[in-house]
Amino acid sequence: MRAPIGDFDTATPAPDCLGELVGPVADAVRGWTGTVPADQILYVDTDPRWADTAVFVEHYARELLEQSANCVVVAGKRGGETTLAACVVLSTTRVDVNGVVRRRLGARKASFAPMDTAVGETGMEYGGITPLGLPDSWPLLVDAAVVDLPWVLDGSGRRRGKLLVPGKVFAELPGVVVDGLGVD
């Protein structure tokens, strides 16, 4: 199948290639019950050397920068308690960790989670974290601009491969859509 965005050799419905996905992501695709059918979530095979957004768009297609999202893990702290959460923003923006995220989590302090924590708690590879398959107990914040895109390039849980996801899928995940989560 032809990919709806980018210039990829093949786009495969994610339910048809669960073996290419890490366990939590494969489980999320397998159990997907949203209004967008799971077979509209597509997997594209990519070279893991080019997983980071800036290098990725240089190699695969410059216009993908405007259609890509990053999922980052943050840690909110208050009174000795730490809450891990995930934030999804357009790749052209950065997460407003000390403003929007801190307030939404009710934290005194918020910061990006250490890499080993993000990887260990998600079961995903650094540079490939996606909101599909995150722990159910985590707060998920999604920038409204991500939901507004027809298609979004997102991680697949691994550095090899990406997911092409209809933007409205992000609004159906168990989380909160937030205006202004991503800032320039």
Side-chain angles (χ1 to χ4, degrees):
M1 152 186 313
R2 181 92 179 112
I5 60 173
D7 187 25
F8 301 100
D9 293 334
T10 306
T12 306
D16 295 344
C17 59
L18 296 174
E20 298 297 326
L21 306 172
V22 296
V25 179
D27 290 346
V29 170
R30 192 179 296 109
W32 179 250
T33 58
T35 61
V36 176
D39 64 358
Q40 287 186 26
I41 300 170
L42 305 174
Y43 174 82
V44 292
D45 189 39
T46 59
D47 190 315
R49 295 177 295 171
W50 299 309
D52 297 321
T53 304
V55 177
F56 187 89
V57 299
E58 287 298 323
H59 183 77
Y60 287 102
R62 196 87 188 112
E63 69 271 9
L64 287 173
L65 183 61
E66 304 294 326
Q67 300 167 318
S68 298
N70 290 327
C71 180
V72 297
V73 178
V74 297
K77 297 179 182 180
R78 181 177 205 74
E81 295 289 319
T82 299
T83 300
L84 293 177
C87 300
V88 182
V89 298
L90 295 177
S91 296
T92 55
T93 65
R94 58 184 172 73
V95 177
D96 184 5
V97 175
N98 291 313
V100 174
V101 174
R102 185 182 56 73
R103 285 190 302 274
R104 285 285 178 158
L105 295 180
R108 191 179 63 69
K109 180 182 177 191
S111 59
F112 294 105
M115 181 174 64
D116 59 333
T117 300
V119 169
E121 295 292 326
T122 63
M124 301 179 203
E125 295 177 8
Y126 192 75
I129 294 175
T130 175
L132 291 168
L134 289 172
D136 292 336
S137 61
W138 284 20
L140 172 63
L141 305 175
V142 179
D143 191 273
V146 174
V147 175
D148 291 342
L149 289 176
W151 287 93
V152 179
L153 178 80
D154 188 35
S156 68
R158 299 173 54 209
R159 287 185 66 81
R160 168 169 227 112
K162 297 284 186 185
L163 295 177
L164 303 178
V165 183
K168 56 188 164 188
V169 164
F170 293 92
E172 295 187 21
L173 294 171
V176 178
V177 176
V178 180
D179 286 318
L181 179 63
V183 294
D184 293 327

